[in-house]
Amino acid sequence: MEARPQSERSRILIVSASIGAGHDGVAAELARRGTELGLTVDRCDFLSLLPWRIGWLLRLLYRLQLRAAPQSWGWLLSMLEHRRSLHAVSKVFSRLARRRLIAEVRMDTVLVISTYPLASQSLGTLRSRRLISCRVATFLTDMSVHPLWVSSGVDTHLALHDVPARQARSLGAADVLVVGPAVAPTFRPGCAEERAGARSAFDLPAGAPLALVVAGSWGVGDIAQAVRDVATTGLALPIVVCGQNGALHRSLLSLGIISFGWVSDMPMLMRACDVLVQNAGGLTSLEGRASGLPVVTYRALDGHGTTNASALEEAGWTSWARSRDQLASVLTGALSLGQVAPLVPRPDWPSEAVLEPPDLVSA
């Protein structure tokens, strides 16, 4: 599809949330694609729309929960699967965000895309009450779909694969389209020369198989034990990205483990490695596959980590080592694959699926 002239541009609003980096990462890629098509794309952070610093508190509590009591996150997600709890949460956040969210959806907006479940609940409520007239789409950023993602007021749900699409339909989601992952094009397989250059740039060993161990932008989970387990197999040298978890970074360095804090060029680092080991099944796992890396799930986080692991395995996108005893055989299988076929978006996305304004004008 050719880019539209500036005078014919239509406005798309993407509502994300600064919780971790996954929701914002998907939003950034959707914005890039929309802009490339000639659309005017704006983004806003749902947490910033909540009054009284509630968004800041929500982010803080979630981060503390994952670090201090990760099992409680799985319990909370299970509780929110019940209709009454889900309705209460949806009602509260819809009321809190209503005024500012309506203000973000200007008259020239033809589509709002949410990449965050609480935003989807709020937008769905506004849409069903005709407080906003443009269409609303939810981009399901995970491979597993929690009921919190699905709102009856949302017009279209965009899924990464048939597996989450099927889950979304079973929860009553409307107009589910499989569009593939929203991963930046900088995540791509590299040739042997690029691999050598990337290892040199990060001062990594030239010949050893490298396992890139990641735990999201916040560096949560039992990463130290996962690193020890990977090293014990003797199959690959663990290279750890700690994100914003400075304490983890310092601790691993003191043990002589190659680790990084926040990495600004993850595509290059992935091209330096041979396998990706992750625990949450979020955007980083999709970036790894887009880079041609086989992906292994190990010591999955409670809640979305385990449900994503199951869905990713069902889709054939990752292998899941459920215990320390399984890790060596799973790593052996992954390393034997070499460079895998990268994940790519469906060819009809985004021009025909959702971002084409003429199909979206009706209320």
Side-chain angles (χ1 to χ4, degrees):
M1 176 182 174
E2 295 183 359
R4 297 171 177 274
Q6 180 71 32
S7 60
E8 298 179 11
R9 287 190 176 185
S10 300
R11 180 179 185 259
I12 306 295
L13 175 65
I14 301 175
V15 185
S16 181
S18 54
I19 288 193
H23 302 289
D24 281 343
V26 170
E29 173 57 15
L30 295 178
R32 185 197 66 80
R33 295 182 188 181
T35 302
E36 193 174 73
L37 289 173
L39 301 166
T40 298
V41 184
D42 290 326
R43 292 171 52 189
C44 70
D45 184 344
F46 181 77
L47 299 187
S48 70
L49 304 180
L50 300 173
W52 312 310
R53 293 174 61 83
I54 290 177
W56 173 85
L57 181 61
L58 187 67
R59 185 190 303 110
L60 176 64
L61 291 176
Y62 179 53
R63 189 169 184 170
L64 290 174
Q65 182 179 32
L66 289 182
R67 286 193 177 181
Q71 291 182 338
S72 67
W73 176 241
W75 172 82
L76 179 60
L77 287 180
S78 296
M79 184 187 71
L80 289 175
E81 291 179 358
H82 300 292
R83 185 179 300 272
R84 184 173 296 179
S85 300
L86 186 63
H87 177 73
V89 169
S90 173
K91 186 176 182 180
V92 167
F93 282 95
S94 296
R95 285 185 175 180
L96 288 171
R98 181 171 65 178
R99 181 178 61 83
R100 293 179 180 177
L101 194 51
I102 290 175
E104 290 287 341
V105 185
R106 302 197 313 251
M107 292 296 294
D108 59 341
T109 304
V110 295
L111 173 69
V112 182
I113 303 177
S114 166
T115 66
Y116 181 60
L118 291 179
S120 295
Q121 290 293 327
S122 298
L123 287 164
T125 299
L126 295 179
R127 176 78 165 126
S128 62
R129 294 180 180 178
R130 299 186 180 276
L131 295 175
I132 55 176
S133 59
C134 67
R135 290 176 65 88
V136 174
T138 287
F139 195 103
L140 303 166
T141 60
D142 285 345
M143 279 290 283
S144 62
V145 183
H146 188 275
L148 196 61
W149 273 108
V150 177
S151 171
S152 60
V154 171
D155 299 283
T156 302
H157 294 77
L158 309 173
L160 304 174
H161 186 274
D162 290 332
V163 171
R166 187 167 59 248
Q167 293 181 15
R169 292 187 186 103
S170 72
L171 293 170
D175 189 27
V176 181
L177 300 175
V178 178
V179 297
V183 175
T186 50
F187 290 95
R188 56 169 180 78
C191 63
E193 184 179 352
E194 288 178 308
R195 180 174 180 269
R199 290 196 174 199
S200 176
F202 283 97
D203 196 22
L204 300 175
L210 302 182
L212 183 62
V213 182
V214 296
S217 64
W218 288 348
V220 296
D222 195 356
I223 307 307
Q225 187 59 56
V227 169
R228 286 192 289 267
D229 293 344
V230 170
T232 299
T233 68
L235 296 168
L237 180 68
I239 308 298
V240 190
V241 175
C242 303
Q244 299 172 8
N245 192 337
L248 174 64
H249 180 38
R250 291 188 294 272
S251 174
L252 293 176
L253 285 178
S254 70
L255 297 173
I257 295 169
I258 300 174
S259 65
F260 301 94
W262 185 264
V263 175
S264 58
D265 196 348
M266 279 296 288
M268 180 183 288
L269 182 56
M270 287 189 177
R271 285 194 283 275
C273 298
D274 300 282
V275 64
L276 179 74
V277 180
Q278 57 85 37
N279 63 0
L283 181 60
T284 307
S285 63
L286 303 178
E287 292 170 342
R289 278 299 305 265
S291 302
L293 291 177
V295 178
V296 171
T297 303
Y298 183 58
R299 293 189 175 270
L301 296 174
D302 286 323
H304 68 287
T306 55
T307 57
N308 281 342
S310 179
L312 283 162
E313 186 178 55
E314 182 182 352
W317 285 2
T318 68
S319 302
W320 185 5
R322 291 170 169 80
S323 68
R324 185 184 306 172
D325 293 337
Q326 293 181 0
L327 180 60
S329 62
V330 172
L331 273 178
T332 298
L335 289 167
S336 70
L337 295 173
Q339 197 171 86
V340 299
L343 304 177
V344 295
R346 295 291 175 90
D348 61 349
W349 166 258
S351 59
E352 297 296 331
V354 170
L355 288 181
E356 180 62 22
D359 297 331
L360 303 171
V361 175
S362 60

